[in-house]
Amino acid sequence: MVGSAGRVTGAVGAGLVGEVMVHVPQRQGTEAFLAYLAVPGDRLPVGTPVVVIEYHPPRTVYVAPVVP
């Protein structure tokens, strides 16, 4: 899971439990995960591309925005 790409589907930010859709190659699809910011910072609005920094089974990830 760490290093997987995803997209925010429910705003992620300080004090918020957001949601992201992450591509999971092992299961050949895209799945929803609860998401938190990996590094404190600005809120990530819906549609922001992210990368998974940390994974806590079964459905929680810590994410960072993808820097273009």
Side-chain angles (χ1 to χ4, degrees):
M1 288 297 305
V2 174
S4 296
R7 187 164 302 275
V8 175
T9 54
V12 180
L16 297 174
V17 178
E19 181 185 68
V20 295
M21 295 296 287
V22 177
H23 178 67
V24 184
Q26 298 88 337
R27 295 193 278 263
Q28 299 178 1
T30 302
E31 299 179 14
F33 290 85
L34 297 177
Y36 295 91
L37 288 175
V39 178
D42 294 334
R43 184 177 187 168
L44 303 178
V46 172
T48 304
V50 294
V51 63
V52 175
I53 303 299
E54 193 173 332
Y55 170 60
H56 293 270
R59 311 270 330 141
T60 302
V61 293
Y62 286 77
V63 298
V66 173
V67 180

